[in-house]
Amino acid sequence: MCRSAPSQAEELLERVGATRADTATAEARWWYGDATNNFTTLAEYVAAWGAADSEHIEIHGNREIRSARWDLSFWPGMQFEFRAVGPCHLLHRLLRSPDLRAPQWDSIADLTPWSCTEEEFLDSGLGPFAEDIDLGSSGHRIEFDAVDPGSGRRRPYCALFDWGLLQSVEPVLMRLEKRIPQPRLRW
C-alpha cells in the first residue's frame, strides 16, 4: 500500500518512527517467512498477537462465521479483522473501528487513497455498483458509475481495494464486455 498511497504511507511511517527500508524488511518477512499471511486459524493469530480486542460468532444458514478484530495502535481508528467461514474460506481485512463514524463522501473527488473501507464504499450511495472482481492477493476491483466532477456527466469508474482499504479510483476508458450486476455477499 506504500506504492499506491505514497503520501499517506509517509505520514504513517513518520508517526510510527519507521523508514521505507523497515517496510521493505517487514514485507519480505511477511511474504517469505512464517508470516501472518499464512495463518489459517484464529488460534494462530491469538498465539502471535495475543487475545483479540473483540471476537464473535455469527450463524448464517448452516455456516458458522467466526471473526476476531485487533486494534492497530499505530493507526488509531483502524482494526485488522480475521474471519473464518467454515474450514476453508478465510478473509483478512482492515476496518474502521465500529465506535467511529465513517466520513461522508459526496462525490468521486472525496474518494482519496485510504479514505474508506470497501464496506463503507459499498454503503456510500455513490454507485450503482456494477461488478466486484476478486483480484486474489492484490484485492478487489469494483466497477461503478458516478458523476464526473469535471463534466457533470455519469461515467464508469473502477475502485481498487487492498486489504479492504481503498487504494485508487480511476475512470474506465473502455468496457470490452457487457456488465452483469452480481449480488455481493455482505457480512
Side-chain angles (χ1 to χ4, degrees), residues 138-172:
S138 62
H140 281 103
R141 174 188 164 145
I142 298 175
E143 289 190 5
F144 65 105
D145 291 327
V147 175
D148 182 312
S151 69
R153 290 189 226 134
R154 291 193 79 71
R155 67 168 298 161
Y157 287 90
C158 72
L160 297 174
F161 292 85
D162 194 8
W163 288 89
L165 196 59
L166 179 67
Q167 302 301 307
S168 65
V169 175
E170 302 292 333
V172 173

Short mmCIF file of all heavy atoms in Angstrom, two decimals, residues 138-172:
data_model
loop_
_atom_site.label_atom_id
_atom_site.label_comp_id
_atom_site.label_asym_id
_atom_site.label_seq_id
_atom_site.Cartn_x
_atom_site.Cartn_y
_atom_site.Cartn_z
N SER A 138 -4.11 -9.40 -4.53
CA SER A 138 -3.97 -7.96 -4.68
C SER A 138 -5.27 -7.20 -4.41
O SER A 138 -5.33 -6.00 -4.60
CB SER A 138 -3.44 -7.61 -6.07
OG SER A 138 -4.34 -8.05 -7.05
N GLY A 139 -6.31 -7.86 -3.94
CA GLY A 139 -7.51 -7.18 -3.50
C GLY A 139 -8.71 -7.33 -4.40
O GLY A 139 -8.91 -8.36 -5.02
N HIS A 140 -9.52 -6.28 -4.47
CA HIS A 140 -10.75 -6.26 -5.25
C HIS A 140 -10.77 -5.05 -6.17
O HIS A 140 -10.22 -4.01 -5.85
CB HIS A 140 -11.97 -6.14 -4.32
CG HIS A 140 -12.36 -7.41 -3.69
ND1 HIS A 140 -12.07 -7.69 -2.39
CD2 HIS A 140 -13.02 -8.49 -4.17
CE1 HIS A 140 -12.54 -8.88 -2.09
NE2 HIS A 140 -13.12 -9.39 -3.14
N ARG A 141 -11.48 -5.20 -7.25
CA ARG A 141 -11.76 -4.11 -8.17
C ARG A 141 -13.27 -4.02 -8.28
O ARG A 141 -13.93 -5.00 -8.61
CB ARG A 141 -11.14 -4.40 -9.53
CG ARG A 141 -11.50 -3.39 -10.56
CD ARG A 141 -11.03 -3.82 -11.93
NE ARG A 141 -11.73 -3.00 -12.91
CZ ARG A 141 -11.20 -2.60 -14.03
NH1 ARG A 141 -9.99 -2.98 -14.35
NH2 ARG A 141 -11.88 -1.84 -14.84
N ILE A 142 -13.83 -2.86 -8.00
CA ILE A 142 -15.27 -2.67 -8.07
C ILE A 142 -15.56 -1.61 -9.13
O ILE A 142 -15.05 -0.50 -9.04
CB ILE A 142 -15.86 -2.24 -6.71
CG1 ILE A 142 -15.60 -3.34 -5.68
CG2 ILE A 142 -17.35 -1.95 -6.84
CD1 ILE A 142 -16.02 -2.97 -4.28
N GLU A 143 -16.34 -1.98 -10.14
CA GLU A 143 -16.73 -1.03 -11.16
C GLU A 143 -18.05 -0.39 -10.75
O GLU A 143 -18.92 -1.05 -10.17
CB GLU A 143 -16.85 -1.70 -12.52
CG GLU A 143 -15.50 -2.08 -13.08
CD GLU A 143 -15.57 -2.52 -14.53
OE1 GLU A 143 -16.66 -2.45 -15.15
OE2 GLU A 143 -14.53 -2.94 -15.04
N PHE A 144 -18.19 0.90 -11.04
CA PHE A 144 -19.40 1.61 -10.68
C PHE A 144 -19.54 2.82 -11.58
O PHE A 144 -18.62 3.22 -12.27
CB PHE A 144 -19.37 2.02 -9.20
CG PHE A 144 -18.29 3.02 -8.86
CD1 PHE A 144 -18.61 4.35 -8.62
CD2 PHE A 144 -16.96 2.63 -8.76
CE1 PHE A 144 -17.62 5.27 -8.29
CE2 PHE A 144 -15.97 3.54 -8.43
CZ PHE A 144 -16.29 4.87 -8.20
N ASP A 145 -20.73 3.40 -11.58
CA ASP A 145 -20.99 4.61 -12.34
C ASP A 145 -21.18 5.76 -11.36
O ASP A 145 -21.83 5.60 -10.33
CB ASP A 145 -22.26 4.46 -13.19
CG ASP A 145 -22.07 3.47 -14.32
OD1 ASP A 145 -20.95 3.37 -14.84
OD2 ASP A 145 -23.04 2.78 -14.68
N ALA A 146 -20.60 6.91 -11.68
CA ALA A 146 -20.72 8.09 -10.82
C ALA A 146 -20.60 9.34 -11.69
O ALA A 146 -20.17 9.29 -12.84
CB ALA A 146 -19.64 8.09 -9.75
N VAL A 147 -20.97 10.45 -11.11
CA VAL A 147 -20.90 11.73 -11.82
C VAL A 147 -19.44 12.20 -11.85
O VAL A 147 -18.77 12.27 -10.82
CB VAL A 147 -21.79 12.79 -11.13
CG1 VAL A 147 -21.61 14.15 -11.78
CG2 VAL A 147 -23.24 12.35 -11.15
N ASP A 148 -18.96 12.50 -13.05
CA ASP A 148 -17.62 13.04 -13.24
C ASP A 148 -17.62 14.49 -12.75
O ASP A 148 -18.42 15.29 -13.23
CB ASP A 148 -17.25 12.98 -14.71
CG ASP A 148 -15.85 13.47 -15.00
OD1 ASP A 148 -15.48 14.56 -14.50
OD2 ASP A 148 -15.12 12.78 -15.72
N PRO A 149 -16.74 14.85 -11.78
CA PRO A 149 -16.76 16.21 -11.26
C PRO A 149 -16.43 17.27 -12.31
O PRO A 149 -16.91 18.41 -12.23
CB PRO A 149 -15.69 16.22 -10.17
CG PRO A 149 -15.14 14.86 -10.07
CD PRO A 149 -15.74 14.02 -11.14
N GLY A 150 -15.66 16.93 -13.33
CA GLY A 150 -15.28 17.89 -14.36
C GLY A 150 -16.40 18.18 -15.36
O GLY A 150 -16.69 19.32 -15.68
N SER A 151 -17.04 17.12 -15.85
CA SER A 151 -18.06 17.28 -16.89
C SER A 151 -19.48 17.33 -16.35
O SER A 151 -20.38 17.80 -17.04
CB SER A 151 -17.95 16.13 -17.90
OG SER A 151 -18.37 14.92 -17.30
N GLY A 152 -19.70 16.79 -15.16
CA GLY A 152 -21.05 16.73 -14.61
C GLY A 152 -21.88 15.58 -15.17
O GLY A 152 -23.05 15.43 -14.85
N ARG A 153 -21.27 14.74 -16.00
CA ARG A 153 -21.97 13.59 -16.61
C ARG A 153 -21.58 12.30 -15.90
O ARG A 153 -20.48 12.17 -15.38
CB ARG A 153 -21.61 13.47 -18.08
CG ARG A 153 -22.20 14.58 -18.89
CD ARG A 153 -22.02 14.31 -20.38
NE ARG A 153 -21.53 15.56 -20.95
CZ ARG A 153 -20.54 15.68 -21.79
NH1 ARG A 153 -19.90 14.63 -22.21
NH2 ARG A 153 -20.18 16.85 -22.24
N ARG A 154 -22.50 11.32 -15.94
CA ARG A 154 -22.20 10.00 -15.37
C ARG A 154 -21.22 9.28 -16.28
O ARG A 154 -21.30 9.38 -17.50
CB ARG A 154 -23.47 9.17 -15.21
CG ARG A 154 -24.38 9.74 -14.14
CD ARG A 154 -25.48 8.78 -13.76
NE ARG A 154 -25.08 7.73 -12.87
CZ ARG A 154 -24.77 7.86 -11.58
NH1 ARG A 154 -24.79 9.05 -11.03
NH2 ARG A 154 -24.42 6.84 -10.86
N ARG A 155 -20.30 8.56 -15.66
CA ARG A 155 -19.34 7.77 -16.42
C ARG A 155 -18.89 6.60 -15.57
O ARG A 155 -19.02 6.62 -14.36
CB ARG A 155 -18.17 8.61 -16.88
CG ARG A 155 -17.28 9.12 -15.77
CD ARG A 155 -16.00 9.70 -16.26
NE ARG A 155 -15.25 8.65 -16.94
CZ ARG A 155 -14.27 8.87 -17.79
NH1 ARG A 155 -13.89 10.09 -18.08
NH2 ARG A 155 -13.63 7.88 -18.36
N PRO A 156 -18.29 5.58 -16.19
CA PRO A 156 -17.83 4.42 -15.42
C PRO A 156 -16.48 4.67 -14.76
O PRO A 156 -15.61 5.34 -15.32
CB PRO A 156 -17.73 3.31 -16.48
CG PRO A 156 -17.57 4.02 -17.77
CD PRO A 156 -18.22 5.35 -17.63
N TYR A 157 -16.33 4.14 -13.56
CA TYR A 157 -15.09 4.20 -12.79
C TYR A 157 -14.80 2.81 -12.23
O TYR A 157 -15.68 1.96 -12.18
CB TYR A 157 -15.21 5.16 -11.61
CG TYR A 157 -15.23 6.61 -11.97
CD1 TYR A 157 -16.42 7.26 -12.23
CD2 TYR A 157 -14.05 7.34 -12.05
CE1 TYR A 157 -16.45 8.60 -12.57
CE2 TYR A 157 -14.07 8.69 -12.38
CZ TYR A 157 -15.26 9.30 -12.63
OH TYR A 157 -15.28 10.63 -12.96
N CYS A 158 -13.56 2.61 -11.80
CA CYS A 158 -13.24 1.41 -11.04
C CYS A 158 -12.49 1.85 -9.79
O CYS A 158 -11.67 2.77 -9.82
CB CYS A 158 -12.44 0.39 -11.84
SG CYS A 158 -10.74 0.83 -12.15
N ALA A 159 -12.84 1.20 -8.69
CA ALA A 159 -12.18 1.45 -7.41
C ALA A 159 -11.37 0.21 -7.06
O ALA A 159 -11.87 -0.91 -7.17
CB ALA A 159 -13.22 1.72 -6.33
N LEU A 160 -10.11 0.42 -6.69
CA LEU A 160 -9.24 -0.70 -6.33
C LEU A 160 -9.05 -0.71 -4.82
O LEU A 160 -8.76 0.33 -4.20
CB LEU A 160 -7.89 -0.57 -7.02
CG LEU A 160 -7.95 -0.63 -8.55
CD1 LEU A 160 -6.59 -0.36 -9.15
CD2 LEU A 160 -8.46 -1.98 -9.01
N PHE A 161 -9.19 -1.90 -4.23
CA PHE A 161 -9.06 -2.09 -2.79
C PHE A 161 -7.99 -3.13 -2.50
O PHE A 161 -7.87 -4.12 -3.21
CB PHE A 161 -10.39 -2.57 -2.19
CG PHE A 161 -11.46 -1.54 -2.23
CD1 PHE A 161 -12.24 -1.37 -3.36
CD2 PHE A 161 -11.69 -0.71 -1.15
CE1 PHE A 161 -13.23 -0.41 -3.42
CE2 PHE A 161 -12.67 0.27 -1.20
CZ PHE A 161 -13.44 0.41 -2.33
N ASP A 162 -7.22 -2.90 -1.47
CA ASP A 162 -6.23 -3.86 -0.98
C ASP A 162 -6.44 -3.98 0.52
O ASP A 162 -6.51 -2.97 1.22
CB ASP A 162 -4.82 -3.36 -1.29
CG ASP A 162 -3.76 -4.43 -1.12
OD1 ASP A 162 -4.13 -5.61 -0.91
OD2 ASP A 162 -2.57 -4.11 -1.20
N TRP A 163 -6.58 -5.22 1.00
CA TRP A 163 -6.86 -5.48 2.41
C TRP A 163 -8.13 -4.74 2.85
O TRP A 163 -8.26 -4.31 3.98
CB TRP A 163 -5.68 -5.10 3.31
CG TRP A 163 -4.55 -6.05 3.16
CD1 TRP A 163 -3.53 -5.97 2.26
CD2 TRP A 163 -4.36 -7.26 3.88
NE1 TRP A 163 -2.71 -7.05 2.39
CE2 TRP A 163 -3.19 -7.85 3.39
CE3 TRP A 163 -5.05 -7.89 4.90
CZ2 TRP A 163 -2.70 -9.06 3.88
CZ3 TRP A 163 -4.56 -9.08 5.40
CH2 TRP A 163 -3.40 -9.66 4.88
N GLY A 164 -9.07 -4.53 1.93
CA GLY A 164 -10.33 -3.89 2.25
C GLY A 164 -10.25 -2.39 2.35
O GLY A 164 -11.21 -1.74 2.75
N LEU A 165 -9.13 -1.78 1.95
CA LEU A 165 -8.94 -0.35 2.07
C LEU A 165 -8.79 0.25 0.66
O LEU A 165 -8.04 -0.28 -0.17
CB LEU A 165 -7.68 -0.08 2.89
CG LEU A 165 -7.48 1.31 3.45
CD1 LEU A 165 -8.62 1.71 4.37
CD2 LEU A 165 -6.17 1.37 4.23
N LEU A 166 -9.48 1.36 0.39
CA LEU A 166 -9.43 2.00 -0.93
C LEU A 166 -8.00 2.42 -1.25
O LEU A 166 -7.34 3.08 -0.46
CB LEU A 166 -10.35 3.23 -0.96
CG LEU A 166 -10.35 4.01 -2.28
CD1 LEU A 166 -10.98 3.18 -3.40
CD2 LEU A 166 -11.08 5.33 -2.12
N GLN A 167 -7.55 2.05 -2.47
CA GLN A 167 -6.22 2.43 -2.94
C GLN A 167 -6.30 3.50 -4.02
O GLN A 167 -5.50 4.42 -4.05
CB GLN A 167 -5.47 1.21 -3.47
CG GLN A 167 -5.31 0.11 -2.44
CD GLN A 167 -4.55 0.58 -1.22
OE1 GLN A 167 -3.46 1.11 -1.33
NE2 GLN A 167 -5.13 0.39 -0.04
N SER A 168 -7.26 3.36 -4.94
CA SER A 168 -7.38 4.34 -6.02
C SER A 168 -8.74 4.24 -6.68
O SER A 168 -9.42 3.22 -6.59
CB SER A 168 -6.28 4.15 -7.06
OG SER A 168 -6.45 2.91 -7.72
N VAL A 169 -9.13 5.32 -7.35
CA VAL A 169 -10.33 5.37 -8.18
C VAL A 169 -9.91 5.93 -9.52
O VAL A 169 -9.31 7.00 -9.59
CB VAL A 169 -11.43 6.25 -7.54
CG1 VAL A 169 -12.62 6.39 -8.48
CG2 VAL A 169 -11.87 5.68 -6.20
N GLU A 170 -10.18 5.20 -10.58
CA GLU A 170 -9.77 5.60 -11.92
C GLU A 170 -10.95 5.50 -12.89
O GLU A 170 -11.78 4.61 -12.75
CB GLU A 170 -8.65 4.67 -12.44
CG GLU A 170 -7.42 4.63 -11.58
CD GLU A 170 -6.64 5.94 -11.58
OE1 GLU A 170 -6.73 6.68 -12.59
OE2 GLU A 170 -5.97 6.22 -10.59
N PRO A 171 -11.00 6.37 -13.89
CA PRO A 171 -12.05 6.24 -14.91
C PRO A 171 -11.83 4.96 -15.72
O PRO A 171 -10.69 4.56 -15.97
CB PRO A 171 -11.87 7.45 -15.81
CG PRO A 171 -10.85 8.32 -15.17
CD PRO A 171 -10.17 7.53 -14.11
N VAL A 172 -12.91 4.33 -16.11
CA VAL A 172 -12.83 3.17 -17.01
C VAL A 172 -12.89 3.74 -18.42
O VAL A 172 -13.86 4.42 -18.78
CB VAL A 172 -13.99 2.19 -16.76
CG1 VAL A 172 -14.00 1.09 -17.80
CG2 VAL A 172 -13.89 1.60 -15.35
#
